[in-house]
């Protein structure tokens, strides 16, 4: 049981680190967009992609940085997803439950939040004094997650430069919502992890129960002079 508890804690820590990496890379991409994105998008649209053109050669460095940042964002997002699914497995969800909740269209608009709620309810039982605050946290996280997906969907693919769009269209608003979603996600992971911990024996209680039993054992007395 102690191993299972530590494994769950390590899985939760992996989620926290992956979410932090995802937000850090996304923030770098947004900073690049704000500083260079619109100009670079305009240059690409006007000059084309002929590698032999002198103007295109001047854009190679900026385009390379953009490509690297995009790869980092994608890699961090995949890592966050994998770490989160690994944590769900440690928390008690089966692969089938995870697949149905997250990857079945329409159903995945609400099922992931319901799955998380069921995992916590399984640990806390019917007597849960913090159920109201937990439901508020869960609803806030899921609303922010759906809002993040919606904002990214309406910004991508690349817009026309005549409309003032940048390379990806992502900006401070999308970053702020993504940061809030990541923070709330980490909070729900911590809430479920703590609830699961409270239902697992720490390994200290059995030792404490042994103390009264040891005191009750008859003591062997030795004759005087031995």
């Amino acid at each position: 049981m102690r191993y299972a508890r530590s494994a769950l804690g390590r899985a939760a820590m992996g989620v926290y680190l992956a979410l932090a990496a995802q937000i850090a890379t996304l923030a770098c991409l947004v900073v690049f967009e704000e500083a260079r994105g619109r100009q670079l998008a305009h240059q690409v649209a006007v000059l084309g992609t002929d590698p032999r053109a002198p103007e295109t050669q001047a854009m190679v460095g900026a385009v390379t940085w953009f490509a690297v940042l995009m790869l980092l964002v994608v890699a961090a997002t995949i890592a966050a997803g994998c770490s989160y699914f690994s944590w769900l497995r440690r928390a008690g969800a089966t692969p089938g439950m995870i697949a149905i909740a997250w990857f079945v269209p329409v159903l995945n608009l609400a099922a992931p939040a319901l799955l998380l709620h069921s995992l916590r309810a399984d640990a806390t039982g019917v007597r849960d004094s913090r159920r109201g605050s937990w439901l508020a946290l869960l609803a806030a996280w899921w609303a922010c997650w759906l809002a993040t997906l919606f904002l990214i969907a309406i910004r991508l693919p690349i817009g026309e430069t005549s409309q003032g769009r940048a390379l990806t269209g992502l900006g401070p608003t999308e970053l702020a919502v993504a940061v809030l979603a990541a923070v709330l996600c980490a909070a729900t992971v911590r809430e479920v992890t703590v609830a699961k911990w409270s239902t697992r024996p720490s390994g200290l209680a059995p030792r404490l129960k042994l103390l009264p039993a040891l005191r009750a054992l008859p003591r062997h007395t030795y004759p005087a002079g031995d």
Side-chain angles (χ1 to χ4, degrees), residues 94-180:
T94 64
M97 294 166 59
I98 297 172
I100 292 174
W102 280 90
F103 299 113
V104 175
V106 181
L107 189 63
N108 58 10
L109 294 177
L114 296 177
L115 173 60
L116 205 60
H117 178 63
S118 67
L119 291 176
R120 186 180 181 277
D122 180 62
T124 58
V126 294
R127 296 181 179 179
D128 184 7
S129 59
R130 302 184 65 250
R131 187 172 186 272
S133 59
W134 158 249
L135 290 177
L137 172 63
L138 185 65
W141 163 63
W142 193 243
C144 286
W145 168 250
L146 293 179
T148 301
L149 294 181
F150 174 76
L151 289 174
I152 293 176
I154 64 175
R155 295 295 187 182
L156 298 177
I158 299 173
E160 297 293 337
T161 56
S162 61
Q163 298 175 346
R165 301 289 292 274
L167 293 171
T168 64
L170 301 180
T173 301
E174 291 76 18
L175 177 61
V177 176
V179 169
L180 182 58

Side-chain angles (χ1 to χ4, degrees), residues 46-73:
V46 172
L47 301 176
T49 57
D50 184 6
R52 295 169 295 180
E55 296 84 355
T56 303
Q57 293 292 328
M59 296 187 301
V60 169
V63 172
T64 301
W65 273 109
F66 173 72
V68 169
L69 288 174
M70 283 297 298
L71 289 175
L72 289 176
V73 170

